Every structure is written in C-alpha cells, then in structure tokens.
Amino acid sequence: MTMSLPAQIGAEMITVTKYSPITLSDGYTTLLLSGGKPVFIAKNEPDKKIAVMSFSLHFSNLPLMMEFPLMMYRLVEYYIPSTVTQRVFDVNDTVQLGSRSEELFIEGPGIE
C-alpha cells in the first residue's frame, strides 16, 4: 500500500476554534490568516529564525492531519536548512558542510 501526501496544507483544511490576535511587526511574514487576522507568522533573517502560532494545537485539527509532520519538517528545513548532505560516512570520505554563517568553527580531539 502506498500513500501520497499533498504538497501543502491549504488554509481551508485547518480548523481553529480559539486563538489570540497578533499585531504584525516589521520583518514578519504572514503564513496563515483567520478572519483576516494573522494567526501564524514567521521571520526569516540571518540571525533570527522565528515562527509564531497564536493558537494552541489543542484548539486546532492540525495534529490530527497526516500532513502536519510534513508541514513542520518543511518549516524547519526552510528556516534552518541542513548543513550536511548525508548522515553516514566511511573512513577517508570527504565531508562538505554548508555553513549558515560567515564563520565555521570545528572542534574535536586534537582539532580546532
């Protein structure tokens, strides 16, 4: 048996019964609106990665949706991209790290 997940969760699929209003600040992007008011916002700056949901998952059907883990995974991958392309290496393999900053410090036994 195979399953295919939709590429995204549409706002029409989400039910929220209770939320707190958010005042949108500079630098934030609205990801989800409810009644024309932002309820899920995010900021993506080099030194600030912030995502704010103004509702508890207890008052939403999001955790019950099969797409929820995929949405959370994509949110993390977008704001904090992976720096390593694989997880297992053999002896003498070359490892390339995609740094998220201008500097990269590596420490280990006898290495700094």
Side-chain angles (χ1 to χ4, degrees):
M1 176 201 242
T2 59
M3 284 179 158
S4 62
L5 294 175
Q8 60 189 10
I9 298 176
E12 68 280 354
M13 299 169 65
I14 301 170
T15 303
V16 176
T17 58
K18 184 177 177 182
Y19 68 90
S20 299
I22 296 178
T23 303
L24 198 58
S25 298
D26 288 341
Y28 282 89
T29 303
T30 300
L31 301 177
L32 184 64
L33 294 169
S34 178
K37 297 178 183 171
V39 293
F40 192 7
I41 59 174
K43 179 183 263 191
N44 187 12
E45 294 179 356
D47 59 340
K48 294 179 186 171
K49 311 290 185 188
I50 303 169
V52 178
M53 285 192 312
S54 69
F55 57 92
S56 170
L57 292 175
H58 295 288
F59 298 108
S60 168
N61 67 335
L62 270 174
L64 302 174
M65 299 173 71
M66 291 180 53
E67 298 86 2
F68 179 66
L70 181 63
M71 181 189 85
M72 295 308 292
Y73 173 78
R74 287 184 177 163
L75 186 69
V76 169
E77 280 294 310
Y78 179 75
Y79 287 103
I80 309 170
S82 182
T83 57
V84 181
T85 57
Q86 63 189 62
R87 307 262 188 257
V88 178
F89 301 95
D90 290 326
V91 175
N92 296 322
D93 277 355
T94 299
V95 179
Q96 292 185 349
L97 301 175
S99 178
R100 292 186 209 131
S101 67
E102 295 177 14
E103 299 180 71
L104 177 65
F105 298 98
I106 300 173
E107 293 182 24
I111 301 171
E112 189 170 324

